[in-house]
Amino acid sequence: MRAGELRCVFCGGKRLANTTEHCPPRSLFRNKQWPEGYAFPACEDCYGGTSDDDLMVAFVASMGVDAAVDPQGSERFTNLMRAVKKQLPGFLEEMFDPAIVAVPMSAAGVVRTPAALHRAVGIFAGKLTKGVYYKQTGRILPEDGGIMFQWFTNAQLHEHGKINLLDALSGISAMSTPKERSGKDLKDQFDYLYSVDQSGDLHILQVVIGRIFGFVTIFSQTPGRLETIEDHLNQKVGTDNGPFQFLSSNRSRVTFV
């Protein structure tokens, strides 16, 4: 927690911070060795109630491990799968074919994306976006600021050799910061690029988690900025359903908070 910071980063500073939130959560990393500098002031309401979401995200992030190359990672995947079976009954059956669920397979890819997983990634993306904004600017993202979100799995990479969304953003100037614990690089587990326009009003966060999935958020501290951008894009392409969803907005169709 930064000296003198008494407000929660995750609810827009509405409530006093009386605890510290690790974001990304420690469960996302091998041996719970999370990167230094990613602990943020939080209130009890924002801190609690996301253990199921954290478990889903950690489980998906642990997939794709080759047991012969990384036996420790394979063991972690198996342990997380057991935890998911116990804590989230029915989730694996929604995600995989029955034959895959019966035998732990660390190399298995995401076959289906249950609504619960989509929601969990959205919650994680929203919290991480607010945390990174605070880390980069020293300010709390206002509650009436906006966050737009799109996530992806490695399916595109296997099929097309690239992630279309990241490829489309490749020409944007972005900064990268160390993700380390005791001098050990953790970018193979968690990495991101951060961009901000010249006005300092429009931000882009590109996140990759392990070998399996990632997301992009576009966000602004100015109320209504993203809604205006979305309306312009929708008019340009002639649709009301753009590729991004709102995680934070005053619009009634927001799906995550």
Side-chain angles (χ1 to χ4, degrees):
M1 185 180 298
R2 296 188 183 186
E5 179 59 75
L6 300 176
R7 294 284 166 178
C8 174
V9 167
F10 302 106
C11 62
K14 285 196 308 180
R15 293 180 286 269
L16 291 174
N18 49 15
T19 188
T20 298
E21 172 88 46
H22 293 92
C23 191
R26 288 178 286 186
S27 59
L28 197 69
F29 299 91
R30 299 186 194 99
N31 300 316
K32 296 186 177 180
Q33 295 296 301
W34 70 98
E36 296 159 350
Y38 290 85
F40 304 101
C43 64
E44 289 292 344
D45 288 346
C46 290
Y47 176 80
T50 61
S51 63
D52 288 353
D53 303 307
D54 289 348
L55 177 57
M56 278 184 262
V57 169
F59 169 66
V60 174
S62 72
M63 293 164 55
V65 175
D66 186 337
V69 176
D70 185 3
Q72 186 180 36
S74 180
E75 181 182 3
R76 176 172 176 269
F77 168 83
T78 301
N79 291 337
L80 283 167
M81 177 175 263
R82 291 195 185 108
V84 168
K85 284 183 177 180
K86 181 178 180 180
Q87 188 170 325
L88 304 169
F91 175 74
L92 295 178
E93 287 75 11
E94 287 187 70
M95 191 171 179
F96 301 114
D97 293 331
I100 294 177
V101 175
V103 180
M105 294 177 62
S106 59
V110 178
V111 178
R112 293 182 289 268
T113 53
L117 176 59
H118 184 69
R119 177 180 178 275
V121 175
I123 290 172
F124 168 56
K127 294 185 81 169
L128 183 61
T129 295
K130 293 171 184 178
V132 170
Y133 176 80
Y134 178 75
K135 183 176 177 64
Q136 295 289 342
T137 68
R139 299 189 299 271
I140 293 174
L141 189 69
E143 184 187 19
D144 56 1
I147 304 175
M148 297 170 68
F149 157 80
Q150 183 183 154
W151 75 293
F152 52 83
T153 71
N154 62 354
Q156 284 187 20
L157 188 62
H158 291 316
E159 186 174 352
H160 303 294
K162 63 181 180 180
I163 302 296
N164 293 333
L165 182 55
L166 299 184
D167 188 60
L169 296 171
S170 62
I172 296 177
S173 177
M175 66 182 77
S176 178
T177 58
K179 291 85 179 177
E180 298 176 338
R181 166 62 59 176
S182 301
K184 183 179 179 181
D185 192 345
L186 301 178
K187 287 185 178 181
D188 64 322
Q189 300 175 74
F190 162 63
D191 198 12
Y192 68 80
L193 295 174
Y194 180 82
S195 308
V196 59
D197 72 352
Q198 290 184 346
S199 71
D201 188 45
L202 190 65
H203 310 254
I204 300 176
L205 183 65
Q206 306 175 55
V207 177
V208 175
I209 305 295
R211 304 178 180 88
I212 295 297
F213 78 99
F215 64 83
V216 170
T217 54
I218 301 173
F219 55 105
S220 176
Q221 66 270 26
T222 302
R225 175 73 189 276
L226 296 185
E227 290 84 347
T228 300
I229 292 173
E230 186 196 43
D231 289 343
H232 175 74
L233 291 175
N234 288 347
Q235 290 175 4
K236 189 173 181 179
V237 300
T239 180
D240 291 329
N241 297 304
F244 284 84
Q245 286 184 280
F246 276 100
L247 300 180
S248 177
S249 171
N250 293 320
R251 289 191 164 170
S252 60
R253 66 182 183 80
V254 174
T255 54
F256 306 106
V257 177

